[in-house]
Amino acid sequence: MSLYSKRGVSAQKEEVHAATKHLDQGLFANAFCKIYPDYLGGDDDYVSVMHADGAGTKSILAYLYWKETGDIAVWKGIAQDAIVMNLDDLLCVGVYDNIVFNSTIDRNKTIIPGEVLSQVINGSQQLFDELKSFGVHIHYLGGETADVGDVVRTIAVNGTMTCRFLKSKVISNDKIKAGDVIVGLASYGQATYETEYNSGIGSNGLTSARHDVLSKYYADNFKESYNTSLDEAVVYIGNNKLSDAITFTIDNSPFTTTVGKLILSPTRTYAPVLKVLLENEFDKIHGLIHCSGGGQTKCMKYLPETFRIVKDNLFEAPEIFKLIQKSSGSNNREMYEVFNMGCRLEIYCAAQDAELMISTAKTFNIDAQVIGRVEANDKKELVIKLKDETIVY
């Protein structure tokens, strides 16, 4: 068993998929989110899209960082994580405007005070206000905040997004075809709408990141931060504290930050980029994949045919993933299945349209490049070609 499995988590969520396999799969089987008829409006030209997601165990890292540094503003990043994990999934079916959001926050009141709730709730509204300046309108309709200390050790921050949407503007992934190229958008760097360097970590694989990178100090001092029934051999096995400084090179210049800043970088949204592309180049986009849970293997769940996906020009893995891999000893196969590894959004399009996608992303200072292609095949297959290794899923 991998360390990831030993900690009681799964990159592919096999048991979840088994439990939901008999549910209605919606109108577009290959779409990134489930899409249903317009039950609320009763209009055949519209569809209903609803999605639920959250910040996951990243909230535990925020808790530890807050306790260690006293910086309560870290919780605003968790608000962004919960929102973006919903929003960027919706982007992948073509939705980028006129969205409503409802939050669900479960906390252990004896550990998480009202000041933390204020940071999360007000941080949510601040992000919505920022997105509005890009023409992305998300309406915050409140939600449920529950004191459930017997259920959660610290806090769980989740939310649900929904909208009515024109059926003719749905990205269903059904247009993906052999010969398409895959344009990848980087998860790291500093977009024009970000205030500091983003490590690219996103909100997936944080159970591994936390236990692999951080030291036993956290097991000894914060029992509430992990499942105490786990084997101690897989609990906080790293050598770092969140306040430890780390220096690496960006654009040939040294850059210094902390382990905590890297591992808690708020999940980047691609909404400003995709609003431009979906409004102006809708017909050129054959498919969209958000490389969230499942990392670089996520695309395998949404292919309309038995294609071979070849990714042979991925970005060099940014520093946070090098740190996680060095700490855990995980092989590349597991790393690329758990983490986005520096590329969190894939645009499938014709080769002649790739430069348009790339140049649009770069106007927001987001690196982009053709990372791979779609090939005809007799079965679904993913091939990742690295500098000195080829991985087949």
Side-chain angles (χ1 to χ4, degrees):
M1 292 177 68
S2 68
L3 285 171
Y4 205 62
S5 297
K6 289 178 180 178
R7 290 170 182 145
V9 286
S10 168
Q12 299 296 339
K13 299 183 179 178
E14 295 89 349
E15 292 184 350
V16 175
H17 293 302
T20 60
K21 67 181 180 180
H22 297 301
L23 297 181
D24 184 353
Q25 297 305 302
L27 298 175
F28 299 95
N30 300 308
F32 198 83
C33 299
K34 288 184 179 180
I35 299 171
Y36 297 100
D38 180 23
Y39 292 125
L40 297 179
D43 190 331
D44 290 340
D45 292 331
Y46 280 76
V47 293
S48 299
V49 186
M50 181 177 284
H51 191 66
D53 212 325
T57 61
K58 201 169 183 178
S59 61
I60 300 173
L61 279 159
Y63 170 75
L64 295 174
Y65 186 85
W66 168 55
K67 286 293 188 181
E68 186 169 324
T69 67
D71 182 6
I72 199 168
V74 68
W75 291 104
K76 292 183 180 179
I78 296 300
Q80 177 167 326
D81 293 318
I83 291 165
V84 173
M85 290 302 289
N86 280 283
L87 174 59
D88 283 38
D89 279 8
L90 289 187
L91 292 174
C92 288
V93 297
V95 174
Y96 58 87
D97 200 8
N98 295 322
I99 302 165
V100 295
F101 179 77
N102 187 280
S103 68
T104 305
I105 304 172
D106 294 333
R107 68 161 175 165
N108 185 329
K109 187 179 180 181
T110 63
I111 291 173
I112 303 296
E115 302 93 273
V116 169
L117 295 180
S118 294
Q119 290 289 318
V120 173
I121 293 169
N122 293 326
S124 298
Q125 187 59 59
Q126 287 175 21
L127 179 59
F128 296 144
D129 291 342
E130 291 168 12
L131 288 170
K132 189 182 298 184
S133 69
F134 292 96
V136 178
H137 296 87
I138 303 173
H139 308 280
Y140 195 7
L141 303 189
E144 162 75 350
T145 301
D147 296 334
V148 286
D150 286 335
V151 178
V152 297
R153 294 173 181 270
T154 52
I155 186 172
V157 181
N158 302 295
T160 302
M161 278 187 177
T162 189
C163 75
R164 292 178 70 237
F165 191 62
L166 270 172
K167 186 186 293 185
S168 62
K169 290 297 184 179
V170 168
I171 300 289
S172 66
N173 293 327
D174 291 332
K175 293 182 180 179
I176 295 175
K177 62 181 184 294
D180 280 354
V181 298
I182 308 167
V183 174
L185 272 59
S187 60
Y188 61 93
Q190 186 173 341
T192 56
Y193 48 86
E194 293 174 324
T195 58
E196 59 184 342
Y197 174 81
N198 194 315
S199 73
I201 186 68
S203 292
N204 297 100
L206 271 299
T207 297
S208 273
R210 176 165 48 95
H211 285 295
D212 290 338
V213 171
L214 301 184
S215 73
K216 288 290 183 192
Y217 165 84
Y218 297 97
D220 295 337
N221 291 277
F222 299 98
K223 297 292 184 186
E224 67 275 23
S225 73
Y226 71 99
N227 178 359
T228 54
S229 68
L230 292 176
D231 185 341
E232 289 293 320
V234 301
V235 173
Y236 293 118
I237 63 174
N239 299 309
N240 302 279
K241 291 185 68 176
L242 290 164
S243 55
D244 287 350
I246 183 170
T247 300
F248 52 97
T249 300
I250 299 178
D251 297 330
N252 299 316
S253 299
F255 175 77
T256 300
T257 184
T258 65
V259 170
K261 285 281 189 180
L262 284 185
I263 210 167
L264 277 159
S265 282
T267 307
R268 168 179 292 171
T269 179
Y270 297 98
V273 183
L274 281 185
K275 176 183 168 60
V276 174
L277 290 174
L278 288 165
E279 283 193 337
N280 301 314
E281 313 297 344
F282 172 80
D283 291 333
K284 295 183 174 69
I285 299 173
H286 296 172
L288 291 167
I289 300 294
H290 182 198
C291 302
S292 48
Q296 287 302 315
T297 71
K298 189 77 170 184
C299 58
M300 298 294 284
K301 293 185 173 70
Y302 304 98
L303 301 178
E305 296 181 33
T306 55
F307 296 126
R308 174 189 291 117
I309 303 298
V310 179
K311 299 182 183 181
D312 55 3
N313 191 39
L314 286 163
F315 301 100
E316 179 183 352
E319 191 68 24
I320 183 62
F321 302 113
K322 294 177 183 178
L323 176 63
I324 293 168
Q325 187 167 23
K326 181 180 179 181
S327 300
S328 66
S330 296
N331 59 31
N332 284 327
R333 183 180 185 85
E334 182 168 26
M335 290 295 294
Y336 280 82
E337 188 175 16
V338 172
F339 299 102
N340 71 69
M341 300 302 285
C343 179
R344 227 192 68 241
L345 188 75
E346 296 174 351
I347 304 173
Y348 291 71
C349 64
Q352 65 266 26
D353 296 323
E355 185 52 41
L356 175 61
M357 311 298 171
I358 292 169
S359 61
T360 301
K362 288 187 174 181
T363 63
F364 293 92
N365 201 36
I366 293 175
D367 201 6
Q369 63 191 38
V370 173
I371 62 167
R373 60 191 179 276
V374 181
E375 296 180 349
N377 200 29
D378 59 1
K379 63 179 181 179
K380 289 185 180 181
E381 186 176 58
L382 169 63
V383 179
I384 293 179
K385 294 185 179 182
L386 305 176
K387 189 178 298 183
D388 51 8
E389 182 181 2
T390 297
I391 308 167
V392 180
Y393 297 93

